[in-house]
Amino acid sequence: MFSPDAGVPASTSLRNPRRRQRTVSDESLVARQIPKRQRRSGLTSETFKPPYVEPNNGYVNGQWRSERSTPNNSGLAIRNRRLSKSDHDRRELRSNSNVLLTKNENYVVTRLTTTPIQLQENQSTETWQSELAPWAGLAVATTQTQAIVWRYKHDISDAEITKPLIIPLPHPSNGTGQPLPLGILVPTSPEPGLLIVMPVSGKVTYWETLSSAASVDSSRRKQLATEGIVQGLLSGEIIVEITEAEPHGFLLTFGTGRVAHMILTDAQGKPAISVQLLRSNAAHAGGFLSGLKWAFSSAGWRRDVAAVHAGDSWQRGQRQCIIATTRGLFQVWSLNWNGAHSMLYEVDAKQELLDSISKSGDAFPTGLEQFFQVLDFVFLSNTVSGDEKALIKAKTEFKLLALVAFSMRDTSSYYLLTLDLREEGSEVEVVHPISCYRSPLSAESHFKPRLIVPESSQIAFVIFEKSVVLVSLAEVKGTPDSQLQLEAQTLPDPFQDFIDIRRDKPYRIVGCNADLYNKATKESSCTLLIQGYGAINISVLPVKESPSAFDRPRITARTKIEQAIFFGTLPQNLLDFSGRPEVQFDIEDVEDAALEVSHSIMSSSSKYLPQIGPSIEQWLHLRASALAELIKYLRQHYSDLGRVTRWQLLWNAERLAAAKALWTWHSATLQNETRNQINLLAYIVDCIHEDIKTQNDIDGQEPDGVRHWMVHDTWRMEFVVPWAYKVLDVLRTESQEDNEPIPTAEQARLIGEASSLQLAVLETAFEFREANAAFYGLGGERIVDGVLQDGYADLPDPWTSEEIMYVGVEKQAHNAREFVIDYGNNADGEGFPSMEVLEKMAADNPRQVELCCRIYKERLLFLKSKDDPELRKERFELKKQFVQVRKAHLVGLVEVEQAKAGLEIAEKHSDMAALAEIVVDELEAIQDNLKDCEAHGSDFEAEMRLKLAFYKECIDRYFVERGSAWTNAFFPRLIQQKRSGPILDYAQKHQHQVTAFLRSQVEYAKLSWINEILSENDYAKAGHQLGLAQKTEGDLWARKTQLSMSKLAVMAAKSKKQVTEDDGENQIRAIDCQLQGLQAQESLLDFLGPLLRETLNDPAARTQAIMTKYGTRFVKHKPALRHLMEGGFTKIVVGEVLETEELIDILTLMDEDAFNPMDPLEEKFTAERFFLALKLLHSCLPGPIDRPRIELQEMIIWRRCMIQNDWEAINHTELKQDTEIERETGGTSLFKTLKQGLKQGSWSLFSSNTDPTTLTHGTNLTKGLWENVPQLPPSALLHAGTSISSLRDSSRYDDTSDNYLTLLAHDLQIEDDALEQSLNKGRLELWWQGIVEAAKQSVKSDAEQAGEQQSRRLSFENKFRERMDREDEKSRARLEVEDGVATMDTDLQEDVVMEM
């Protein structure tokens, strides 16, 4: 228990002379051989060498280090020497080993590689916490059993000193559920000490040096330790935090809100531990009883302490500290090295903080004050002049930066406030609302939010368990413009940004501190220790002092996008770049930023990409990967990205893919060229005008023009392709001027390479576009062969079909073909090209023609979408030109022996004129050659006859594949004339073509399934075709027959492994569902059969007879439902198939009182009709596809079921026996439906998980009423389908007019009114649960009766068998067989009567 004498020293230095045997873990700390008799330690001479930083007057994290913090220079003459230039170089080299996690124009985040490996493993379940000592560059982490000390600073010159010191704790915790021990490094000379405090027991262990703590000799380690205990801990009270309060001490914060001052030395400076609870002067002045009152009263110590920080030391041996509570109370204390303390004053700053936040324009609703809390604060540097008055003032007045929050369950608001604290009160100077982070504080979090402000006071780090928020504190330079912006409230907000840690990993921040400020670099930084990952450093780049409003750094969409795509893919990156909902950008800004980033990647102007590399192929791959990550990030986080932007990003990506293909082609040509030959691509790049390429200073930059273009100008790919056909013209012109003609063979090489260049670029671009359109969110676009078929209205010109592009490709195709025609007969001659080159050019020419057609088509489609009269005129002229050019190229292919390729392209583009011309010309040539075949020999004749057969086969093939004038006229005519047989005969020669034709339209499905079995042997497809055929079949019997055959075909396909087991079962299940619907219609037809047979064989008369009997009462005054019911009966009469919902309407709209309860058939039908409707609904409609449609229809079924009976009459139970009430309720449609479902196991007999009273109209019924029906109250069915809007939710009425829906909603409202009347006057809501239970009991009772009857039947059979056995024995004993048999029969009859 708490003792008022807790202020006396709590311990002395305890020395335990006993030794314990050293364990293997102790030995593991030493990596080198230790001589005999030498005290062993896990340290080296370099361990505590602090990293070099510029002097900063001892300022760390907004607090001044005391004189004790400054090591004795005499003892650290070597350790604290100023680093030489070589030391700096080695440390800079070492820093390069750190892993860059992200960077932008404002800050850099790196992973420090010095963290011990056991603290980096995220698989470890052991928890730990840590403290950083930036003054020493060391960190200490504590677990339940040990402390680990290591140097975390990244600028280290010796790899050896990164080895951690593992120090076993002298008093380890008993269990993992206890709070972790608290550890902190103590600034002593010549090396730091280590202080360990056990939070539960209060045991304290202090080593003056880490050498003592790290001794592998356990006995010596214990002897060198100073141990003590914190006296006066209350029951259940723990120590939660240690705060450095040098000189000579620390502040201990208890979980109850108490704070104690712990001194580590006695009056002589020897190690000794004493603890003093901080108590106000009033508590001391009142004597012993006042001290007890202060100690035990909740006002005295029971409080939520937000933070405890020690301030400046203005006098040797003294230190001020401030204790802040979460409610905004600040206490200022004066501490002395000898343990004396006094509270100078306390200020309740809560109202001042609230008023300042309200005045800042960020008003909060009334009553939100209860959620207010102070989270942390830091001291801000306060410049003090040299006069005594100012010095005295500085001792009692403080400038703080406080972190406060309005913390609620779902969100929190955070603020940074600059607070002037003095004895007279407090005053807020500046309010910084944190707008980029509003996540709520987690009650389960083990890490309290921390506020860190480096010495520069330019930036504040707000540290949460999973996030870091950066807030700029730089003051804006006062200018007339900024003043005007301030008055107009258009002044840009100070810089803020967030750094999130991935939430799908068990990473969490367990320690943090500011780094020593380096005045040379002027960078403010802090280091975070993250469990499961290690240490990371956040370094904020220097900002201008007092920047203008326009110079303020900002979070931009481009910055976030670049961070995500360049760093989000790094392996094992713990940062989350998905963004936060608090930081949203306009979609226009995101689109602009995306295009800027894409362009920077294409032009290699991005600062995140290397500017040069030895391999262009790898360089292009790197940029392609960046573009892929860009669109991946945009699709994941900005699904509303505009279509135009997506296309522009895709076009950039396909340009880069084309550049990769171009470089591959270029590399291949370099291997085949000689030094004196002209390189085509190099010449093209040189010829491109300076205005459309990046300037290349050959003397100072890249001497290779092609490499320079590949690095900087791939986004201008559209200028390279057209230039390919111009090169030869330019070279010819130059050669004529120089009077040096180009050799024909060289011309052939250049023309062939120009063709290959165009093919490599454009084919790759079109293929990439088609393959990656879906990846860019354009999967819904209709793209054929890389050409978008529609939707150009809002798109800019596609780069692949600009005018210079289609002109250049068309001319190159023409030039190549004409060259082959001109020199084909002179190949391999002296000075002429080789046949191999010409054959390659001829083989490439069809591909060029195909590209030409594709580009023309894309341009025409683009112009078609434009309303500009000039563009419409251009389209008209271009279309006319295209028809002429296409025909000329296709026919021209015959001249280079590419007629077959010409046929394929003509068929592809449906150019019947060219197709006919090619076929006619070839047939004519063949026939002419056959007339003169004797002069050429038998082989020539055989060749011609083969070609003739080929073209005849082509003509036959056009019957099926092409030609609306042939295929689409010939085969339908055969079908019309009932001569379908010849179509199947063509399958003997053209099976694929016939099959394709028959599969092309549903109308041919009845013929197609025969072809699938006879010709294709594809039972799966046959089943599919039969399924298509039955959809158009109106006759009930025919549809059922086709469905049955379809099922047989699927079963055969499954047995032949043509479909997978799962697919086959799914198809059979779907067919069975459809057959079930047809079976239900047949059952309805059988039920109506007697009535139909009694009426005339007239459909109208039969329909009227059915309506007269079954459609009189329920649909009365409901014209829409009556019309629907009458139409369904008409289909039944004529034998047509009803759709599922039509059949459901028939079943549920029939009059209940029209059924004869004495007729077993009618009684069975009326008992099952509503349940049958529910079964049809769930088996024949695709629920997951259209859930609202099913839910609406299901609610209507239940509502009609409930209003079939007069609940108001049933509710009048006066003078009624229970049996009569049971008979009335048991005769209702609701009871029968529930019983039928229970009997068939469609809902549980004992389901009682949901309270029926909690379900009302609008309750989320995502599981469907089918599953929830035993808990569904009738009131939940109100208003279903009673408005046009609710009907529109069902896809059944997508194509229905509003006029009809108005009538239908009116009719459904009448049903709804009837249900409401049953609820109000018939108490249906109360009857509901009773009927549910009655139905359950009835089903169980029927089951029990059936069991009893079965038991009696078995008993009778056994007795009968025994009697027969006895009679057999008697008959053998009797002499007269006839008398014995007669007697036995008489007895048996009597037994049977008795048993019955």
Side-chain angles (χ1 to χ4, degrees), residues 212-231:
S212 303
S215 175
V216 296
D217 189 335
S218 60
S219 299
R220 177 169 176 78
R221 183 171 65 250
K222 189 171 184 179
Q223 290 174 356
L224 295 175
T226 301
E227 297 188 342
I229 190 168
V230 179
Q231 299 286 351

Side-chain angles (χ1 to χ4, degrees), residues 676-935:
N676 59 348
Q677 287 182 327
I678 298 173
N679 182 270
L680 180 65
L681 184 56
Y683 194 83
I684 290 175
V685 171
D686 186 59
C687 290
I688 294 176
H689 196 273
E690 289 78 3
D691 294 342
I692 52 177
K693 68 180 179 181
T694 304
Q695 293 300 314
N696 181 20
D697 185 1
I698 299 179
D699 296 333
Q701 297 184 17
E702 175 63 67
D704 188 343
V706 174
R707 287 180 176 269
H708 184 270
W709 188 90
M710 282 287 177
V711 171
H712 299 284
D713 291 307
T714 51
W715 59 281
R716 292 167 166 154
M717 182 64 66
E718 56 267 31
F719 296 108
V720 169
V721 176
W723 253 104
Y725 92 92
K726 290 185 178 180
V727 168
L728 189 58
D729 292 339
V730 174
L731 288 174
R732 285 171 177 170
T733 302
E734 292 178 353
S735 65
Q736 291 177 359
E737 294 175 354
D738 299 337
N739 199 19
E740 295 181 359
I742 303 175
T744 305
E746 180 68 6
Q747 293 183 40
R749 182 185 70 83
L750 291 174
I751 293 175
E753 288 186 357
S755 299
S756 300
L757 183 152
Q758 289 186 344
L759 291 172
V761 170
L762 291 176
E763 286 184 342
T764 301
F766 283 118
E767 290 171 2
F768 183 91
R769 181 185 301 172
E770 187 167 8
N772 292 273
F775 181 63
Y776 277 75
L778 301 169
E781 306 279 351
R782 194 160 60 96
I783 301 175
V784 178
D785 293 332
V787 177
L788 178 65
Q789 299 300 301
D790 49 28
Y792 289 94
D794 53 350
L795 294 180
D797 292 32
W799 71 278
T800 48
S801 59
E802 294 182 358
E803 182 178 1
I804 57 174
M805 187 69 73
Y806 63 75
V807 170
V809 173
E810 190 271 323
K811 288 187 176 298
Q812 177 61 30
H814 178 267
N815 292 343
R817 186 172 58 254
E818 291 299 317
F819 190 88
V820 174
I821 294 172
D822 292 342
Y823 294 96
N825 295 328
N826 298 320
D828 294 327
E830 184 177 355
F832 291 96
S834 65
M835 180 58 70
E836 181 181 0
V837 172
L838 294 178
E839 288 178 350
K840 176 67 166 57
M841 293 170 61
D844 287 344
N845 200 245
R847 294 165 60 194
Q848 291 177 274
V849 174
E850 165 59 24
L851 274 180
C852 179
C853 294
R854 202 179 300 181
I855 295 170
Y856 265 103
K857 186 175 182 179
E858 183 178 63
R859 184 63 182 175
L860 288 170
L861 290 170
F862 170 77
L863 295 175
K864 182 181 179 181
S865 65
K866 304 301 178 181
D867 295 330
D868 190 302
E870 292 296 327
L871 294 180
R872 286 203 301 268
K873 181 179 178 181
E874 178 185 347
R875 175 177 176 270
F876 177 78
E877 296 295 334
L878 187 64
K879 186 175 182 180
K880 181 179 178 181
Q881 174 184 336
F882 173 47
V883 172
Q884 297 174 351
V885 169
R886 182 179 61 192
K887 181 179 179 181
H889 279 292
L890 292 175
V891 174
L893 289 175
V894 178
E895 301 185 51
V896 291
E897 298 184 359
Q898 297 294 325
K900 292 184 179 180
L903 288 176
E904 294 175 359
I905 299 173
E907 293 171 7
K908 183 176 182 179
H909 294 276
S910 301
D911 192 337
M912 294 300 101
L915 196 66
E917 188 170 342
I918 293 173
V919 171
V920 169
D921 290 349
E922 285 295 286
L923 286 176
E924 184 178 354
I926 292 171
Q927 291 172 355
D928 291 341
N929 290 329
L930 285 174
K931 294 178 182 179
D932 195 23
C933 61
E934 294 180 359

Side-chain angles (χ1 to χ4, degrees), residues 158-169:
D158 190 353
E160 181 185 0
I161 63 179
T162 64
K163 296 180 180 179
L165 305 178
I166 301 178
I167 304 168
L169 299 183

Side-chain angles (χ1 to χ4, degrees), residues 49 107 147 232 234 253 278 412 509 822 832 919 1160 1170 1283 1325 1375:
K49 182 190 298 181
Y107 57 83
L234 301 177
T253 304
L278 297 187
S412 295
I509 299 173
D822 292 342
F832 291 96
V919 171
F1170 286 101
S1283 64
E1325 191 83 10
L1375 296 175

Side-chain angles (χ1 to χ4, degrees), residues 996-1062:
F997 169 76
L998 294 177
R999 291 178 180 177
S1000 62
Q1001 297 185 40
V1002 179
E1003 290 78 2
Y1004 308 142
K1006 293 181 180 180
L1007 189 62
S1008 177
W1009 75 270
I1010 303 175
N1011 177 71
E1012 298 294 346
I1013 294 177
L1014 296 179
S1015 301
E1016 300 290 338
N1017 196 28
D1018 190 342
Y1019 289 90
K1021 197 65 178 178
H1024 175 71
Q1025 293 296 329
L1026 282 166
L1028 294 177
Q1030 63 88 21
K1031 290 182 179 180
T1032 60
E1033 182 61 61
D1035 183 73
L1036 178 62
W1037 183 88
R1039 178 178 285 195
K1040 185 176 181 180
T1041 302
Q1042 291 171 1
L1043 277 174
S1044 301
M1045 294 175 64
S1046 176
K1047 181 177 179 179
L1048 289 174
V1050 174
M1051 294 173 65
K1054 192 173 69 168
S1055 65
K1056 291 179 175 294
K1057 307 299 183 183
Q1058 294 178 353
V1059 295
T1060 63
E1061 189 73 20
D1062 291 341

Side-chain angles (χ1 to χ4, degrees), residues 268-525:
Q268 288 75 34
K270 296 180 179 180
I273 298 173
S274 63
V275 180
Q276 290 274 2
L277 286 170
L278 297 187
R279 293 183 292 176
S280 65
N281 299 333
H284 285 288
F288 176 76
L289 295 178
S290 297
L292 285 178
K293 180 181 179 182
W294 176 88
F296 287 101
S297 65
S298 61
W301 55 269
R302 181 70 68 177
R303 57 189 175 179
D304 293 329
V305 174
V308 178
H309 293 301
D312 303 337
S313 177
W314 300 101
Q315 182 178 350
R316 182 177 177 80
Q318 283 192 320
R319 191 82 175 268
Q320 282 91 2
C321 79
I322 296 180
I323 302 174
T325 69
T326 57
R327 296 292 91 192
L329 181 67
F330 291 82
Q331 291 183 344
V332 180
W333 293 79
S334 176
L335 308 177
N336 193 282
W337 68 273
N338 60 8
H341 60 269
S342 62
M343 188 175 73
L344 301 180
Y345 61 87
E346 68 177 8
V347 175
D348 189 351
K350 177 179 179 180
Q351 195 58 46
E352 174 66 19
L353 295 172
L354 291 173
D355 293 343
S356 301
I357 294 173
S358 179
K359 292 177 182 178
S360 68
D362 199 357
F364 49 86
T366 304
L368 202 59
E369 297 90 340
Q370 60 179 323
F371 301 106
F372 171 85
Q373 59 178 316
V374 176
L375 301 178
D376 197 6
F377 72 91
V378 296
F379 291 92
L380 295 180
S381 58
N382 200 357
T383 305
V384 180
S385 59
D387 60 330
E388 183 177 356
K389 183 177 180 182
L391 187 60
I392 295 174
K393 182 180 179 181
K395 293 180 181 180
T396 58
E397 295 184 4
F398 305 91
K399 182 183 289 291
L400 308 179
L401 183 67
L403 171 64
V404 304
F406 290 98
S407 181
M408 290 162 284
R409 184 178 64 178
D410 298 326
T411 184
S412 295
S413 299
Y414 302 93
Y415 302 87
L416 294 179
L417 300 97
T418 304
L419 181 68
D420 286 337
L421 197 66
R422 60 182 70 90
E423 188 171 0
E424 296 79 13
S426 60
E427 182 181 356
V428 175
E429 292 184 358
V430 183
V431 178
H432 297 280
I434 297 178
S435 59
C436 65
Y437 184 88
R438 294 186 180 275
S439 295
L441 294 174
S442 174
E444 292 78 15
S445 175
H446 300 287
F447 182 83
K448 293 172 60 176
R450 290 284 306 277
L451 176 61
I452 296 177
V453 179
E455 182 186 356
S456 64
S457 298
Q458 296 291 306
I459 195 75
F461 298 92
V462 183
I463 316 296
F464 298 93
E465 189 175 43
K466 284 280 193 178
S467 300
V468 179
V469 177
L470 285 68
V471 181
S472 173
L473 303 179
E475 297 181 359
V476 177
K477 183 179 181 180
T479 63
D481 291 338
S482 64
Q483 184 63 30
L484 290 174
Q485 285 186 316
L486 181 62
E487 294 175 356
Q489 297 184 351
T490 58
L491 189 68
D493 293 332
F495 169 74
Q496 294 184 17
D497 202 355
F498 60 89
I499 301 173
D500 281 345
I501 296 175
R502 293 176 58 181
R503 301 192 177 274
D504 59 339
K505 298 289 185 180
Y507 302 137
R508 65 183 185 91
I509 299 173
V510 295
C512 59
N513 212 331
D515 296 331
L516 297 181
Y517 181 60
N518 192 328
K519 292 184 178 180
T521 61
K522 295 184 178 181
E523 292 183 359
S524 301
S525 62

Side-chain angles (χ1 to χ4, degrees), residues 1331-1343:
I1331 293 177
V1332 171
E1333 294 301 322
K1336 294 178 182 179
Q1337 293 299 325
S1338 178
V1339 172
K1340 290 192 286 185
S1341 177
D1342 291 348

